[in-house]
């Protein structure tokens, strides 16, 4: 397994970021390739992904460690992927979101296409970084509307 860790600072309190992470219906607005997302029970989310070729469907199990502001996830169908989101308060109005993504490079290539080796790692890093930037925009925009 390969591991990628990225973080971004967001200008919202921890609770606002936490709430947004738990709304599956907004995932397509910040996760590249997610066409549709919906809750599939108390701890499951169903994702339809635009991938190389036909649409991929994933069932993801989500486990919260709410007292620590950590959400971990693991695919239960589709490619074997896992990760976590940790929210760390910087101050009352700012939060650091740390994302961890665990994947098998061969599985990513086989399932989603794209480059191999170092080029694949760079592409995944860019994609995760872009998703974090989109999450930041989304949650900060929503916070100013409320």
């Amino acid at each position: 397994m390969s591991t990628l860790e990225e973080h971004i600072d967001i200008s919202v309190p921890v609770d606002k970021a936490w709430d947004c992470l738990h709304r599956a219906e907004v995932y397509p607005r910040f996760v590249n390739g997610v066409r549709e997302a919906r809750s599939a029970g108390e701890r499951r989310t169903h994702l339809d992904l635009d991938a190389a070729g036909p649409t991929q469907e994933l069932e993801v199990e989500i486990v919260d460690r709410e007292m620590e502001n950590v959400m971990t996830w693991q695919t239960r169908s589709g490619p074997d992927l896992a990760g976590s989101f940790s929210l760390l308060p910087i101050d009352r109005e700012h939060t650091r979101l740390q994302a961890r993504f665990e994947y098998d490079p061969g599985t990513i290539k086989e399932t989603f296409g794209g480059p191999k080796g170092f080029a694949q790692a760079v592409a995944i890093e860019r994609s995760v970084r872009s998703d974090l930037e989109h999450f930041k925009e989304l949650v900060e925009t929503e916070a100013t509307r409320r």
Side-chain angles (χ1 to χ4, degrees):
M1 283 290 229
S2 294
T3 301
L4 172 65
E5 293 184 9
E6 287 284 331
H7 74 271
I8 194 165
D9 293 342
I10 305 168
S11 297
V12 298
V14 168
D15 62 325
K16 299 280 186 200
W18 184 255
D19 289 343
C20 191
L21 275 177
H22 286 82
R23 292 192 340 254
E25 69 275 5
V26 301
Y27 291 2
R29 293 175 56 194
F30 71 89
V31 180
N32 185 35
V34 174
R35 189 178 52 154
E36 184 181 342
R38 62 188 174 282
S39 294
E42 187 176 322
R43 294 174 30 171
R44 300 252 176 170
T45 299
H46 179 88
L47 304 175
D48 291 335
L49 305 175
D50 287 329
T55 298
Q56 298 283 326
E57 293 186 22
L58 301 178
E59 289 289 328
V60 178
E61 181 177 14
I62 296 172
V63 178
D64 288 334
R65 295 194 322 255
E66 195 166 344
M67 296 303 292
E68 301 169 34
N69 293 316
V70 175
M71 172 201 283
T72 60
W73 59 272
Q74 169 76 46
T75 55
R76 294 298 176 207
S77 69
D80 186 22
L81 305 170
S84 64
F85 297 103
S86 302
L87 297 171
L88 307 166
I90 297 171
D91 59 33
R92 289 178 54 166
E93 297 299 322
H94 299 88
T95 302
R96 175 163 290 157
L97 171 59
Q98 292 181 323
R100 179 181 176 97
F101 180 56
E102 297 173 14
Y103 63 96
D104 173 58
T107 299
I108 295 291
K109 172 75 174 143
E110 183 179 297
T111 306
F112 302 109
K116 289 196 237 180
F118 181 73
Q120 180 187 55
V122 170
I124 291 170
E125 183 178 324
R126 281 188 194 136
S127 180
V128 169
R129 181 46 116 174
S130 175
D131 292 348
L132 291 177
E133 291 287 343
H134 288 120
F135 180 79
K136 174 183 171 76
E137 291 171 19
L138 172 67
V139 74
E140 288 178 352
T141 299
E142 285 187 356
T144 61
R145 291 182 184 163
R146 293 181 180 176

